[in-house]
Amino acid sequence: TMMDPSSIQKIEKEKLTIYYGAADTTVCSAHVNLNDLIFSMHPDYSERWHFKRSLKNPILLPNKEHNWESKAVFNPAAISLGGKIHILYRALSEHNTSCFGYASTKNGIDIVERLADQVYTPREEFEKKKIDNANSGCEDPRLTK
């Protein structure tokens, strides 16, 4: 759901932007006018609130050029620091191994940087593949300031 703890919310001016994983294959964003949202929380105005999905979704897709993220990207964590939004996302290889990738955006939609190499790769024993074609790796990144 959009309010999943792995989502991140960013408030800029009067717009609330929420970043979330969608269908375990993409990273997306949704936004709502903050004043409308707060106004809608009053029981008498509950019909007024809505989120509007960006027409530019998904903002990240799997990248077939990189084996480590060729199957899916999802479950992002994001944080706004230094004038840009840093996104740490889970990526899945064709062999069902998850690792973390990094991307950034200045406006919350258009990706301005995306690293070619993963920023975290499975290294602990519990992250390693035990059965062929089974899932392995790391999941659900989190970022805090």
Side-chain angles (χ1 to χ4, degrees):
T1 66
M2 283 197 207
M3 299 312 289
D4 182 304
S6 66
S7 300
I8 183 74
Q9 298 83 36
K10 177 183 177 248
I11 299 173
E12 186 174 290
K13 297 186 182 174
E14 293 182 356
K15 181 173 80 171
L16 171 66
T17 303
I18 300 171
Y19 299 91
Y20 61 97
D24 287 349
T25 59
T26 58
V27 176
C28 298
S29 70
H31 61 85
V32 64
N33 179 284
L34 190 56
N35 290 331
D36 288 347
L37 179 62
I38 292 169
F39 185 71
S40 72
M41 292 179 182
H42 189 280
D44 295 338
Y45 304 105
S46 62
E47 294 179 12
R48 290 214 44 198
W49 71 277
H50 66 281
F51 287 95
K52 182 178 179 185
R53 188 177 178 114
S54 169
L55 296 175
K56 294 186 177 183
N57 272 328
I59 61 173
L60 282 175
L61 287 169
N63 186 337
K64 300 292 184 192
E65 294 179 22
H66 307 139
N67 181 52
W68 62 272
E69 63 176 343
S70 61
K71 190 171 187 178
V73 295
F74 45 97
N75 298 352
I79 190 166
S80 179
L81 293 171
K84 67 180 174 178
I85 301 164
H86 304 270
I87 302 169
L88 193 61
Y89 61 93
R90 178 179 165 202
L92 190 65
S93 73
E94 293 296 330
H95 302 289
N96 297 323
T97 299
S98 294
C99 60
F100 294 158
Y102 171 84
S104 68
T105 174
K106 290 188 178 192
N107 64 6
I109 301 292
D110 300 306
I111 301 300
V112 295
E113 179 181 16
R114 185 172 181 178
L115 298 183
D117 293 318
Q118 62 267 33
V119 295
Y120 182 84
T121 187
R123 60 187 75 145
E124 299 295 330
E125 187 61 32
F126 63 87
E127 297 171 315
K128 294 183 179 172
K129 191 170 297 293
K130 308 284 193 255
I131 302 169
D132 286 342
N133 297 320
N135 291 337
S136 62
C138 49
E139 297 187 5
D140 303 334
R142 302 286 192 267
L143 294 171
T144 59
K145 183 176 176 182

